[in-house]
Amino acid sequence: MVRTGRRPGSAGTRAAILTAAGEAFAARGYGGATIRQIASAAAVDPALVHHYFTTKDQLFLIALRSAVDPERLLSQLFAGEVETLGERMVARFLALWEGGAGATASALLRTAVTGERIAQLVREVVFPTVVDELVRRVGVDPAEAPLRTTLIASQLSGLVTTRYVLELQPMASAPIEWVVAAVGPAVQRYLTGELPGLVGKSPPDGGRAGMT
Amino acid sequence: MVRTGRRPGSAGTRAAILTAAGEAFAARGYGGATIRQIASAAAVDPALVHHYFTTKDQLFLIALRSAVDPERLLSQLFAGEVETLGERMVARFLALWEGGAGATASALLRTAVTGERIAQLVREVVFPTVVDELVRRVGVDPAEAPLRTTLIASQLSGLVTTRYVLELQPMASAPIEWVVAAVGPAVQRYLTGELPGLVGKSPPDGGRAGMT
């Protein structure tokens, strides 16, 4: 988890805290982990944790981003045709969830998605970091990017709910490859397909807006 | 909530318990409501609640089905072209959630989807009642129906998570009509579109299964 070759000192201390934090959050969840335990595991004074990361919220988010590694994830996603980006997003997301990207990343992602306490943090930081950035790089109309991001989030979070939380069958035991092929095109449409207009735009097919 | 014109007696008592149960679960959730409170609100002995509904689980499910009224819901969904059934599903689901079908139905649906304790009940009873039945009536290959049901569940539950639980913007404040037009086609594809093959079938486009 200590990713750089930097010598011990402030960077080494910061990295040690981050490693301890990742392990603590993964093992005990956001609510169960404490700054004191994390400081103890990193063999530093709790005041240093506050010095480097200000709050437990900040520490969690930085640990999550560090374990998931957005830049590496984004470059994996863009290694392929734009037309199959939706499938790669589903595949990477499921791999992350199921621990294919490391147990810490997997546990942190689960904490981030299922913990009510940190829903706000996820909303403000995690989605902008990865999904928003991905949508931006695809080159869609920037005005549409936030809507596309939340539509993608709606499909991916629901996949978690049905497959891993409710464990609805046969979804829960379907092979990842099948889920990728079934759900990928829906994510692809949210990513690059034509969507209805929102504020100040007319919907693509007129009267449908009044159907309810 | 007492829907029949039957005279008081066993049917009237049963209906009174169901009304009290619906209100109690809606107000206090599955965990917070007790058989004793429900019996008291219905002015009956708690033993009668057990007599008519056996367990709290059963009572909750019957109250949910009674408030949501699957038959009425299904006939509303089928009032229109099959090609826009996905949009009507999203529209009805959002209307139910936001209370457009009555505060009790709305609160019960929320309890059913967000309460961990009853995830199993939802899995075993609620989905088979409405979504499975709908998928069957559409006339798709019966062998595919369970997969289609869970795919639809994945999109609808994720819509709840992003719009109502995480309140991701701009999804959380987008008009229902926009959400219907944006998400409807994804649900439609899960309902009637071509999906990858699962066990014993080859995927429609061959090599994709090995992409991860």
Side-chain angles (χ1 to χ4, degrees):
Chain A
M1 202 59 61
V2 179
R3 293 178 304 160
T4 68
R6 283 177 283 190
R7 288 160 194 286
S10 68
T13 303
R14 191 177 180 283
I17 294 170
L18 214 47
T19 301
E23 285 162 3
F25 288 128
R28 291 185 287 278
Y30 178 86
T34 67
I35 295 285
R36 190 179 300 194
Q37 289 163 343
I38 291 166
S40 166
V44 301
D45 190 272
L48 261 186
V49 179
H50 289 291
H51 169 71
Y52 284 116
F53 300 97
T54 319
T55 64
K56 185 174 160 186
D57 287 2
Q58 283 300 314
L59 179 57
F60 178 83
L61 288 169
I62 295 169
L64 177 62
R65 276 192 281 182
S66 163
V68 170
D69 194 350
E71 272 307 318
R72 184 159 159 270
L73 188 57
L74 284 165
S75 64
Q76 286 171 336
L77 290 171
F78 279 103
E81 318 230 313
V82 170
E83 289 70 29
T84 51
L85 195 46
E87 295 190 351
R88 287 195 300 282
M89 282 189 80
V90 176
R92 291 311 306 164
F93 185 73
L94 294 179
L96 268 176
W97 193 271
E98 297 188 4
T104 304
S106 175
L108 283 171
L109 182 67
R110 280 195 214 107
T111 305
V113 176
T114 58
E116 276 187 39
R117 168 69 187 79
I118 53 169
Q120 192 188 356
L121 305 178
V122 174
R123 181 175 60 199
E124 290 172 2
V125 182
V126 178
F127 278 103
T129 309
V130 180
V131 186
D132 260 7
E133 179 61 23
L134 185 131
V135 170
R136 249 195 303 275
R137 291 195 199 175
V138 165
V140 294
D141 180 351
E144 291 183 349
L147 281 165
R148 293 183 185 275
T149 299
T150 50
L151 285 167
I152 293 166
S154 81
Q155 178 59 85
L156 295 183
S157 64
L159 205 49
V160 164
T161 306
T162 48
R163 184 171 166 96
Y164 304 109
V165 182
L166 296 179
E167 294 183 8
L168 288 179
Q169 291 296 356
M171 167 68 89
S173 55
I176 282 192
E177 294 73 23
W178 184 85
V179 180
V180 166
V183 177
V187 172
Q188 184 72 38
R189 176 172 160 271
Y190 292 151
L191 199 53
T192 58
E194 197 172 336
L195 294 179
L198 190 57
V199 189
K201 297 180 184 179
S202 56
D205 55 353
R208 194 166 285 177
M211 62 159 291
T212 45
Chain B
M1 205 56 62
V2 180
R3 293 179 302 158
T4 70
R6 284 175 282 189
R7 290 160 194 283
S10 67
T13 303
R14 192 178 180 284
I17 294 168
L18 215 45
T19 302
E23 286 163 3
F25 288 128
R28 292 185 284 277
Y30 178 86
T34 68
I35 296 285
R36 189 179 299 194
Q37 291 163 342
I38 291 166
S40 166
V44 302
D45 191 272
L48 261 186
V49 179
H50 288 292
H51 170 70
Y52 284 116
F53 300 98
T54 319
T55 62
K56 186 174 161 186
D57 286 2
Q58 283 299 314
L59 180 56
F60 178 83
L61 287 168
I62 295 169
L64 177 61
R65 276 193 280 182
S66 163
V68 170
D69 194 351
E71 272 308 318
R72 185 160 160 269
L73 189 57
L74 284 165
S75 62
Q76 287 171 337
L77 290 171
F78 279 101
E81 319 230 313
V82 171
E83 290 69 28
T84 52
L85 195 46
E87 294 190 350
R88 287 195 299 284
M89 284 189 79
V90 176
R92 292 310 307 161
F93 184 73
L94 294 179
L96 269 176
W97 194 271
E98 297 188 4
T104 304
S106 173
L108 282 170
L109 182 66
R110 280 194 215 109
T111 304
V113 176
T114 57
E116 275 186 40
R117 167 69 186 77
I118 53 171
Q120 193 187 356
L121 305 177
V122 174
R123 180 174 62 198
E124 289 172 3
V125 181
V126 178
F127 279 103
T129 310
V130 180
V131 186
D132 260 7
E133 180 61 23
L134 185 131
V135 170
R136 251 195 301 276
R137 291 194 200 177
V138 165
V140 293
D141 180 352
E144 292 182 348
L147 281 165
R148 291 182 186 276
T149 299
T150 49
L151 285 167
I152 293 167
S154 81
Q155 178 60 86
L156 295 184
S157 65
L159 206 49
V160 163
T161 306
T162 45
R163 185 172 165 93
Y164 304 110
V165 181
L166 296 180
E167 294 183 6
L168 289 179
Q169 290 297 356
M171 168 68 89
S173 55
I176 282 192
E177 295 73 23
W178 184 85
V179 179
V180 166
V183 176
V187 172
Q188 184 72 37
R189 175 172 161 271
Y190 292 151
L191 199 54
T192 59
E194 196 172 337
L195 295 179
L198 190 57
V199 188
K201 298 179 182 178
S202 57
D205 54 353
R208 196 167 283 178
M211 63 160 289
T212 46

